[in-house]
Amino acid sequence: MSRSIVPAATAPALPLSDTPDANARGPRPKTVGIGRVGLYAFLVIAASFFLLPAVVMVLTSLKTMDEIRLGSIFALPLSLDFSAWVSAWSSACTGLNCDGIRVGFWNSVKILVPSVFFSIAAGAIVGYALSFWRVKGANVLFAVLLIGAFMPYQVFIYPMVRTFSAVGIYNSLACIVIIHVIFGLPIMTLLFRNFYAGLPQELFNAARVDGAGFWRIFAHVMLPMSTPILIVAAILQITHIWNDFILGLVFAGRENLPMTVQLNNVVNSTYGERAYNLNMAATILTAAVPLVVYFVSGRWFVRGIAAGAVKG
């Protein structure tokens, strides 16, 4: 006996306008509540609070001293005058020398480049070793590094001055670079150790099975995946080292004083009337490098944090 096959009933297709959209968003609220108004008001006040000093600095640096004396601090300059910027860069006096703040800029560059490279390299290697190789006493070493990350610099200054003096490299470029590497090692180790701890253990095990050793795994497996955390570490170290004052003042030596120390000398080297426009221009020039770093790579900094910089 033959059976007739009845096709299964199919659901009617929804109209195109009724098809649910996975990316559709809910409707915008038609009314603005008190909470939203308060939120925007708080954001505007907070932004104004932080931007106001920067606006005053820029306006003051573009005015002549006559305008500064007779006008309001928030008044716009009658004409843009960049002479204070030129003087701050090339002819401002830092004590007895009147070569401008450019000397400190190039000193800061000489300090910054090797300090950032070696501190990040040391932190990446130590963090990788603590994450995968399980050396004896790794937890104790990591705890000591964490304690060192939160200890104030002033505790170590005098012992390190005596140590570097005994070695014979005190007040030199090598001395200040080593200092920045030492003080940057704890936080760099913390960042890289937490990042590597979030990577799959199977990658490390597979490389070990293939016969790769410590350095080969690090160079060919771990380092290519470390781009996000490398960017985070570079931003943190560039900002920290460039803005440093006390370590550069104590350990760099007179020939290698960084830009922050030179800025202090410019502001305090006053003969007669204090040139507020020159001081403001020198301050902005000193802060230019960290500002540029944040504006250019701020997006990468957020991506690096989201990729695992605070895991662990």
Side-chain angles (χ1 to χ4, degrees), residues 7 15-16 22 38 60 69 96 104 107 120 143 152 212 244 252-254 262 270 274 281 283 287 312:
L16 183 61
T60 304
R69 283 192 300 267
L96 298 177
N107 289 341
I120 293 178
D244 168 68
R254 182 168 300 186
Q262 296 282 14
T270 302
R274 185 177 293 274
T283 303

Side-chain angles (χ1 to χ4, degrees), residues 150-192:
F150 299 102
M151 291 287 288
Y153 294 161
Q154 291 80 357
V155 177
F156 303 101
I157 286 181
Y158 181 71
M160 299 189 80
V161 167
R162 296 300 300 268
T163 301
F164 284 105
S165 298
V167 175
I169 61 173
Y170 179 64
N171 276 351
S172 65
L173 181 62
C175 179
I176 186 60
V177 170
I178 294 173
I179 289 293
H180 282 305
V181 173
I182 292 174
F183 283 114
L185 183 59
I187 189 64
M188 292 295 102
T189 300
L190 175 64
L191 287 177
F192 282 97

Side-chain angles (χ1 to χ4, degrees), residues 38-52:
L39 175 62
Y40 283 118
F42 172 77
L43 292 176
V44 170
I45 294 173
S48 302
F49 177 79
F50 287 104
L51 289 176
L52 188 60

Side-chain angles (χ1 to χ4, degrees), residues 6 8-9 36 59 71 79 132 144 215 309:
V6 180
R36 183 176 293 271
L59 293 178
S79 61
F132 289 101
V144 172
W215 294 109

Side-chain angles (χ1 to χ4, degrees), residues 16 24 47 71 130 152 155 170 196-197 207 236 239 252 268 278 298:
L16 183 61
L130 294 177
V155 177
Y170 179 64
Y196 290 140
L236 291 177
T239 305
N268 291 321
L278 186 147

